[in-house]
C-alpha cells in the first residue's frame, strides 16, 4: 500500500506531457537550452560501421535540435545545432527570434519526416544520458520526395533551420554537414537570409558585435 501511495503521489506531481514540452520550449525561446549534452563520448563511428535503426514516434520539438518521443524520452540530434540567439530575424513575411525560427523549423521537419511512415521514422542511437528524463543522442532518417533516405540533420541544416554541430573550439563534428551549411549560406536560405548576422563556431551574432 505504501508503494502504491508513493506511485500515486509521483503521478499526481509529475508534469503533463504538454507542460513538459512547454517548459523546454519556453526556456529555449528565451535563449536557454535545458537539454544536456552527452555525459560520455558518443560512438560517432557507429554511423558508418554498425548502423542499427530503431523506429521512434516523435511528439514535439523541445529545442532547435531536440525533441520528445511517444515514450517521453528526449532525443537530441547529433548533427545539427539549433540557434540560441534571441535576436529578431526576418524570414519571408515573418519576424521572429532566431530561437523561435529554429524551434519552429524542427517541429515542421518532424512532421515532414514522419508523414511518409504514418507518424514514425528510424533513428540510429550513438549514446544515452542516464537520469530523468533520459536523453538519447541520435541520427534520424526519413524518405524524401526522391524516395531516398535522408538524414534529418542534413535536412535542417541545408534549409537554414539549424547549423552544423561543432566542438567548443570550432571544429566540425561531422564535416559533411558543414558542406550542407555552406550550401545553405551560399543560397541565403532560412536563417542565412539575414545578412546582418555572422556565424562563428555554430552560433549567430550581430556583425557589429565582437566575440
Amino acid at each position: 500500500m505504501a508503494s502504491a501511495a508513493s506511485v500515486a503521489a509521483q503521478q499526481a506531481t509529475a508534469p503533463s506531457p504538454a507542460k513538459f514540452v512547454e517548459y523546454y520550449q519556453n526556456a529555449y525561446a528565451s535563449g536557454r537550452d535545458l537539454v544536456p549534452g552527452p555525459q560520455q563520448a558518443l560512438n560517432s563511428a557507429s554511423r558508418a560501421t554498425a548502423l542499427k535503426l530503431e523506429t521512434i514516434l516523435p511528439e514535439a520539438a523541445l529545442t532547435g535540435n531536440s525533441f520528445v518521443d511517444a515514450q517521453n524520452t528526449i532525443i537530441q540530434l547529433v548533427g545539427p545545432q539549433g540557434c540560441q540567439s534571441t535576436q529578431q530575424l526576418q524570414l519571408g513575411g515573418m519576424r521572429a527570434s532566431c530561437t523561435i525560427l529554429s524551434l519552429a523549423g524542427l517541429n515542421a521537419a518532424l512532421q515532414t519526416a514522419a508523414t511518409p511512415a504514418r507518424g514514425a521514422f528510424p533513428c540510429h542511437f550513438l549514446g544515452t544520458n542516464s537520469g530523468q528524463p533520459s536523453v538519447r543522442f541520435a541520427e534520424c532518417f526519413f524518405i524524401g520526395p526522391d524516395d531516398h533516405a535522408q538524414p534529418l540533420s542534413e535536412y535542417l541544416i541545408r534549409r537554414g533551420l539549424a547549423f552544423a554541430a561543432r566542438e567548443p573550439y570550432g571544429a566540425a563534428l561531422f564535416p559533411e554537414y558543414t558542406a550542407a551549411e555552406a550550401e545553405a549560406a551560399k543560397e541565403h536560405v532560412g536563417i542565412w537570409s539575414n545578412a546582418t548576422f555572422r556565424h562563428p563556431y555554430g552560433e549567430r551574432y550581430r556583425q557589429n558585435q565582437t566575440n
Side-chain angles (χ1 to χ4, degrees):
M1 291 179 63
S3 177
S6 176
V7 170
Q10 291 178 8
Q11 291 175 340
T13 57
S16 66
K19 289 292 186 182
F20 176 86
V21 170
E22 183 182 19
Y23 174 71
Y24 280 89
Q25 288 183 345
N26 285 344
Y28 189 72
S30 68
R32 297 180 297 123
D33 188 342
L34 300 183
V35 179
Q39 297 166 338
Q40 299 179 350
L42 300 176
N43 185 11
S44 300
S46 65
R47 297 190 313 156
T49 61
L51 190 66
K52 184 178 180 181
L53 298 178
E54 177 181 332
T55 300
I56 61 98
L57 290 166
E59 290 291 333
L62 302 178
T63 71
N65 68 332
S66 301
F67 61 94
V68 64
D69 70 2
Q71 304 300 317
N72 291 324
T73 298
I74 295 175
I75 297 176
Q76 185 177 103
L77 298 171
V78 297
Q81 175 182 322
C83 184
Q84 292 186 46
S85 169
T86 58
Q87 178 66 33
Q88 293 292 304
L89 300 179
Q90 192 76 29
L91 187 60
M94 179 176 67
R95 185 169 178 81
S97 69
C98 194
T99 53
I100 291 297
L101 293 176
S102 196
L103 179 64
L106 178 54
N107 253 330
L110 292 176
Q111 295 179 24
T112 298
T115 297
R118 298 182 181 179
F121 52 72
C123 294
H124 169 72
F125 292 96
L126 291 75
T128 302
N129 280 0
S130 59
Q132 291 295 330
S134 62
V135 181
R136 304 182 74 187
F137 301 91
E139 185 75 281
C140 298
F141 304 87
F142 71 101
I143 302 299
D146 58 358
D147 290 330
H148 288 87
Q150 181 177 2
L152 187 55
S153 297
E154 182 182 15
Y155 179 89
L156 291 165
I157 296 166
R158 193 170 293 279
R159 282 159 180 75
L161 303 172
F163 313 119
R166 287 173 165 78
E167 300 283 1
Y169 54 87
L173 288 176
F174 306 105
E176 64 269 30
Y177 292 147
T178 60
E181 181 182 88
E183 189 68 23
K186 180 180 178 181
E187 296 179 1
H188 305 290
V189 297
I191 297 168
W192 294 104
S193 62
N194 293 264
T196 57
F197 274 65
R198 60 188 174 91
H199 173 36
Y201 305 153
E203 292 288 354
R204 298 292 276 191
Y205 297 92
R206 295 174 82 102
Q207 286 186 332
N208 61 0
Q209 180 176 346
T210 58
N211 298 285

